Amino acid sequence: PRQIPLGGAAIGNGWMDPMVQYAAAEAAYGHGLLGRAQVNAFAEKEQQCQDLLKKGRYRANICFDLLDDIVSQSYGENAK
């Protein structure tokens, strides 16, 4: 095996599996950041996003908006 000397490594935007990464509501729920009602409300958007991903549309606004909405609600922005 060939060895390559590395001083470090970095992964920029580590986008590996969009089907999993855009299904973030359950993960946020699992960490106590969202309630069950919020997860249920995101379910339809997540399905729409996944349908587009299956068609090869990786730059769909609904997917980007979905993550923004989950993050926004996770921090309680709407609860102020």
Side-chain angles (χ1 to χ4, degrees), residues 13-36:
N13 184 6
W15 200 54
M16 304 303 275
D17 188 347
M19 293 295 281
V20 173
Q21 289 173 262
Y22 279 122
E26 282 292 338
Y29 174 76
H31 288 282
L33 299 172
L34 292 179
R36 178 50 54 192

Side-chain angles (χ1 to χ4, degrees), residues 28-57:
Y29 174 76
H31 288 282
L33 299 172
L34 292 179
R36 178 50 54 192
Q38 290 169 302
V39 173
N40 293 340
F42 284 122
E44 184 178 342
K45 284 185 178 181
E46 284 186 352
Q47 186 60 55
Q48 291 172 351
C49 173
Q50 290 175 354
D51 290 344
L52 291 171
L53 293 172
K54 287 176 187 174
K55 294 176 183 175
R57 293 194 47 207

